[in-house]
Amino acid sequence: MSSWRPARPQDSPPSSPSSTILSRSDNDDDDSGSDFEATVRPKQGARGVPGPCPVPKRSRREPSEDGSSPEQNVLFQAVRNGGVAIEVVVDEWLEGYKRDREPAFLELVNFIVRSCGCRGTVTLAMLRELQNTEIIRRLTESFDEDPADYPLSLSGGPWRRFRGSFGAAVAAVALRCRHSVLYDGFLLGGLTALLTSLADSQVRAFRHTATLAAMKLMTALVEVALGLSQHRDSTRRLYEAERAKSPPRRAPGKLESLQETLRELQEQQEEIEAVMNAIFKGVFVHRYRDVVPDIRALCMEELGTWMCSFPASFLTDGHLKYLGWTLHDMQGEVRLRCVRALQGLYARQDTAAHMELFTSRFKARLVAMVLDKEPEVAVEVVKLLTVMLDTVAEALTEADCHRVYPAVFCTRRALASAAGLFLYRSLLSPRNEGDTEPSPGTGDNRTFFRLLLAFFIGSELHQHALYLVDSLWDCAGARLRDWDTAGGLLLEEAPGEALNDQQEKALVEILAASAKRAARGGPPVGRGPTRKLSPQQKRAVAEQRSRLCLCLAPILPRLLAKFSADEEKVTPLLEVLGCFKLSVYCTAQLERPLEQALAQLQELVLKHTVPGVLKAAARVLGTFCDPRLPLRGHGELAWSRLRELLGEPCHRLLRAQSLDEEELYSAAATLRRLAVLFNAHDLTPWQLFEPCILLLQRAADTGEVPPQLLVPAITCTHFHIFWELSRLPTTDVPQEQLHALRSKATSFCALCQSCLSDGDAGVREQAFVVLSDLLLMLGPVVTRGDRAALAPLRLVPDVELRCQLAAVLLDHVFSPGDGIADEPEAAEARMEELHRRRVLLVGFCRLIIYNVLEPSAASDVFKHYDKFYADYGDIIKETLVRIRRMGGQEWARVVLLTLQQVMAELLLEHGPEVRGAPAFGGLRNLGRRLALFFSPRPYPHRQALLRLHRRGIAFALQEGPGGAPRGPGGPPVPALPGGAQRVLPRLLPPDRVLLLSHLQRSCQQLGVPPGGHRGPPGRLPPLPAAPQAPQQEAAHGRVLAGLRPPPSPALTSTALRAPSAPPPGAPHPRPQQPQPDGGGRGGGAAARSPLGVGPGLSVEPPPRVVVSGFACFLLF
């Protein structure tokens, strides 16, 4: 029988003396001789058939002539249907066994056979005359069903609870017979021999079912042996007590009775131990390494049960080694059962004390399993290590603990919570404290926060306070919500007690994280899906927000004043203010802290220009203006003060004709503040549009406006238009208002378009982003749904704007010479630069996806798919998928145009010898990548593929650069590259034949004579040129109509500048418009070889190598 044997690890413990159960064997690891029939047989006969029995008064059923029961098996029906309690059915079977044990034992055998999914039946004659191996061979021959579908492998319908009921039935047979027929020498020996033989079968159904039955029987026998052991110990104590009495007081009859009972219990114990020893060596030792993972898993699960139930016999090194070895199993479920079995052993102090050798040998493996690829296994391992902290804490060193701590920052919340409990038990909670939670404000919480700060600062692995707080929330939530203690530590000024700068920053982050965790009521983003809170959870969150406000509202203004100059500390404190339940300010009469908090907010807005601080302050000021709040007036008053302090000076500075250095700095800082505030609050009443437009107009006319003014001015104007658009009603919109808003948007777009050619990168990028957003919002989406009245606002970009957008993309996104991949020491700067480039690319791709730009504009992006795959592969791939959903014809047209442009650029750069250029390999790789988006099945994209090849042939046969004439004097067709055969499986055979004939006719019309075939070895075998029916020829002729060679494809500005760059300031050339017949930007592909269909068919190319451009389409 094939079996699976895991590789024994090098640290596996050597064989040690086993328990008393295994002491009768010479070698515990002897895997040979698994047949149990030669060692344990019933005592009544050579073949296990008992001698004559007294005839019962009435049999439960009349056996048939061959000894089998004519009705179905009662035990099997009861287990499968589950309508009757297992104990009742087993008691009924036991009564029949006491009357006539042969038919009853036969029924038990057939119950096991039926549970294996076998339709065969064991007869009484077979049981009397045949060995178990011969019986199993005959049953295997009668296995008329699929061996993969047997009751234990099924989970639907009546088999849903079969596994549990079957195991309970087998265990009940042993438990219900423990005081009667279990020791008759027939039932237990015959059943054990049968299960051992079935467990050695080649049939998986027999092996799996018999192993489960044997393990459950072993568990029941362990319980019986434990009861016998306890009964024997109590009887021995009674015997010793009676024997210790003086002879006059001693009862001779009682002493003899106790001695006889001890002898009987000893015999029963030895018999049970012999059977247990046989099951362990005959079944477990072979099946714990079975090829089926479920068999190995149930063996490990039952072994853990035996060790916990009867540690005196099973908690030995000879048994523990199987758990240690199986920790290296390849299946996660098997490792999971081993870890759970170890949890039960380490959870008890008495059993954990006997595992020193196991801990020393396999502790390293357990610590390494924290990083197990199966999340559930890793969680259980961390729980096991947490249990070990309580029982064998000295076994885990500091280095072992440090390997578990980083798991608190992982994204799986179950693992992070388990690691958080481990961290709390090992480092943050004193050992003598137990599980009691301290009261808020006590010295214990100050110690807890200091220990937590030391860990958070010393980890140096992650800076995610939100994840750390969420990991500790379940076990130390009460301590983390002690905001009074945290605030007191931040305000501490006493020498020796005050925190240093790094500790203050870490504690502010932890305080903000705990406040957001309490206000959110769930884990942070990235730690599992967002679930809707129940009403009870919502009430708990509201209570926590109220308590948060009551605790921190009085001291938060002092904290803001203390850390007002430190942006890294003040930003989390502003986020804490946003978590308050603001209505508590009124209900708790906290008007003075409210005024102090608003004053601090105003001061922070006037002091800082960092976007993070301003965004947090603007968000908090926006919440104070909620119309549902009774304190709305306080928020509006704060905004009016900011208008006086920011809006009016901004008007005055922007209207000034000239600014000195101080005024320029003040104007730039004010505009940066207003740009951030405009994002969170409607500042259109401040009337900033006109001065910003005048500033942009001055920059377009004179170019004298510095970039530090232009960037925030563009942002403010952009938000002004968006806020006006958001306030428009969907119906009955005044036309004057629509025309005024359209006029503002048009003038703003024109000014932003002029900024696209600005020399400053910040101005250019901001103008590009704003233009893409504005064109998107005022594009086709503006009239969707019930907003048809807003149609006058729609903006359609003209050709010049589209060309400028594409030029910015090609010059500043797909330009490898800007140093992104250079200078390895500037990693952070490269990442920021890459992020800015990705933002620009996303803005352009969104315009294509939402039909603001025509799909053919995507060719300027797709042709860089292979070269910039590492930087923008995900963005370009999503754009490819979205355009493919628009339709197969449009998708094929864009792909053709992409490859045409790449081929034309190569011809302009390298001339006719393009195939020898290294860049031609990039063209082949691009074709392979684009081919992956076509379905392997030809039917969904049949028309698109035909269109692709037709236009590719037309492009390949057109005139080359400089008007090279066509003629018969050209070189032979060059050999196709290795990827050429990828297109042929995507075409139906009739389409291949027709395309070949079309290519041949086209070449003949141009005067190109056919030549010899020069394809490389390994090409797809040629297809026979089968004649086509007239109807099929006509149908394909309609598909392949329109064979006029299209003009050369339009190239982008970058491609045109490749041979000779235009002078600075020259306008970008405009691409040609698509032609009705598929030319221009919609145009075709290139061909350089026949399709390999039809024997002896080959076509010579025109007298130039441009025909090789069609190879990019054959690469599919």
Side-chain angles (χ1 to χ4, degrees), residues 375-394:
E376 192 175 0
V377 177
V379 171
E380 296 299 327
V381 168
V382 175
K383 291 181 179 179
L384 171 60
L385 296 175
T386 306
V387 171
M388 293 174 64
L389 285 175
D390 298 332
T391 55
V392 288
E394 65 281 354

Side-chain angles (χ1 to χ4, degrees), residues 24 34 237 424 529 668 792 806 820 838 889 931 1045 1096 1107:
R24 294 174 177 82
S34 60
R237 287 193 299 270
Y424 180 73
I820 289 185
R838 288 173 62 88
Q889 298 294 335
V1107 70

Side-chain angles (χ1 to χ4, degrees), residues 6-75:
R8 178 176 297 184
Q10 295 180 358
D11 58 349
S12 300
S15 300
S16 59
S18 182
S19 63
T20 56
I21 296 178
L22 302 181
S23 59
R24 294 174 177 82
S25 175
D26 295 332
N27 187 2
D28 292 341
D29 298 329
D30 186 9
D31 296 339
S32 61
S34 60
D35 289 338
F36 184 63
E37 302 175 58
T39 56
V40 177
R41 299 295 298 172
K43 300 177 181 179
Q44 280 75 4
R47 300 185 183 273
V49 182
C53 298
V55 179
K57 296 181 180 179
R58 182 177 59 87
S59 177
R60 280 199 308 164
R61 57 179 63 85
E62 294 296 334
S64 58
E65 294 180 359
D66 59 352
S68 61
S69 177
E71 64 240 30
Q72 293 187 356
N73 192 279
V74 178
L75 285 174

Side-chain angles (χ1 to χ4, degrees), residues 937-1001:
R937 298 175 299 170
Y939 294 101
H941 300 98
R942 184 181 183 185
Q943 296 295 330
L945 289 173
L946 287 174
R947 185 187 184 98
L948 184 149
H949 286 80
R950 178 177 65 83
R951 293 190 173 182
I953 294 172
F955 175 75
L957 298 178
Q958 68 185 3
E959 291 185 356
R966 305 182 181 92
V973 175
L976 284 176
Q981 54 266 41
R982 298 195 180 194
V983 67
L984 298 180
R986 300 177 188 271
L987 284 174
L988 294 175
D991 296 342
R992 303 184 205 175
V993 175
L994 287 179
L995 281 173
L996 175 65
S997 61
H998 164 62
L999 176 62
Q1000 187 175 13
R1001 288 195 304 268

